[in-house]
Amino acid sequence: MTEVTAKVSAGPETKKQKTEPLPESPDEEWPDAWFIPDKIEDPKAQNRLEPNEPASVSILKEIGIAYWKMTAGKYTYPVKAVPWDPSDAVDPRLKKLRDDRGYSYADIITIHRDHLPNYDKLIANFFEEHIHDAEEIRHIISGSGFFDIRDKKNRWVRVHVKAGDLMTLPEGLYHRFTADEDDYIHAMRLFIGQPIWTPFNRPCDEHPSRIKFVQEYIEEKKDE
């Protein structure tokens, strides 16, 4: 007699629905950006060329900048929290982006004389041209400031970030930061895993992260 083994159906498998990632904001929502001279006297001034030369969103995108517009002023955040748990986010757009991109650590700082010891020294340090060995993510909660970034032709582009802006800079991109003339910016920094806060000041063209950036964004792609 042949033994027959009956298959017991466990029912249809429950599949986790895959959702589409939060799309980047349309070009018209991106921060104002313009070219600035190589040498400037007052880092906190706008330092526009004469005549002004705007920098298009495509110039930012082609070096790996990404941008999302968050809701400004609707949600309350501490003046300082190091760390701040990103699972505490209540802004639905921020929660979606956190989950899409795997941000597991965050902190919140306020760059202002009343809240940042050694303010002038730290602002000067931020303005040294440097790279990081990981993506840099900034969500501007309130206030404003300037990110200066090198484009593909090694020209300085000044990006004026304000409340509601969330911008990412790719690993290996030469950049610097300063407050603007208001001397106030309240910002969230997001990370994948534990942050390693080591800036590598220029020149560091032989750093693996810089080499990776150049290969991905600067060198001409050869046809296969």
Side-chain angles (χ1 to χ4, degrees):
M1 184 174 178
T2 305
E3 184 178 354
V4 178
T5 304
K7 275 190 175 182
V8 179
S9 175
E13 290 184 8
T14 303
K15 292 185 178 179
K16 189 175 181 180
Q17 287 188 339
K18 187 177 181 180
T19 60
E20 291 297 319
L22 184 69
E24 286 188 51
S25 294
D27 290 6
E28 60 269 20
E29 292 185 359
W30 280 55
D32 193 14
W34 57 89
F35 289 97
I36 63 172
D38 281 335
K39 294 182 179 180
I40 56 177
E41 292 185 6
D42 180 3
K44 296 177 183 178
Q46 292 200 359
N47 291 296
R48 295 177 186 264
L49 296 174
E50 294 184 7
N52 180 50
E53 188 178 346
S56 67
V57 171
S58 62
I59 287 174
L60 303 180
K61 287 182 175 179
E62 69 182 9
I63 52 171
I65 304 293
Y67 175 80
W68 293 264
K69 189 71 174 178
M70 298 288 115
T71 305
K74 186 175 180 180
Y75 304 99
T76 301
Y77 297 94
V79 171
K80 180 179 179 181
V82 182
W84 183 78
D85 189 345
S87 66
D88 291 339
V90 293
D91 180 344
R93 286 178 61 79
L94 182 60
K95 289 169 66 175
K96 181 73 171 73
L97 196 65
R98 172 202 66 198
D99 295 343
D100 289 345
R101 297 173 71 87
Y103 299 143
S104 56
Y105 181 99
D107 62 27
I108 296 172
I109 62 170
T110 299
I111 299 175
H112 184 270
R113 294 184 188 281
D114 293 344
H115 301 294
L116 189 66
N118 301 314
Y119 175 83
D120 291 313
K121 181 180 179 182
L122 287 173
I123 282 289
N125 289 343
F126 296 157
F127 203 63
E128 289 287 334
E129 186 175 0
H130 62 277
I131 66 169
H132 296 292
D133 59 1
E135 179 186 56
E136 181 166 351
I137 307 103
R138 293 292 176 274
H139 171 29
I140 312 304
I141 298 167
S142 59
S144 53
F146 296 126
F147 271 105
D148 293 344
I149 59 176
R150 293 283 190 183
D151 75 351
K152 290 184 75 170
K153 297 179 180 178
N154 203 42
R155 298 173 298 176
W156 276 124
V157 175
R158 173 152 283 193
V159 184
H160 200 186
V161 291
K162 300 178 180 179
D165 293 338
L166 192 153
M167 189 169 73
T168 69
L169 281 62
E171 171 188 349
L173 171 69
Y174 280 129
H175 68 284
R176 62 191 183 191
F177 173 82
T178 186
D180 59 19
E181 292 174 323
D182 291 337
D183 270 322
Y184 170 78
I185 186 166
H186 185 200
M188 178 186 298
R189 307 183 292 187
L190 293 145
F191 305 88
I192 299 172
Q194 285 296 114
I196 301 175
W197 258 114
T198 306
F200 300 93
N201 289 348
R202 192 171 190 174
C204 54
D205 289 345
E206 301 307 313
H207 190 284
S209 292
R210 181 61 188 174
I211 292 172
K212 176 183 175 183
F213 175 84
V214 169
Q215 290 172 342
E216 187 165 354
Y217 296 106
I218 305 298
E219 291 179 350
E220 295 295 330
K221 304 295 183 184
K222 295 182 179 178
D223 295 332
E224 296 293 337

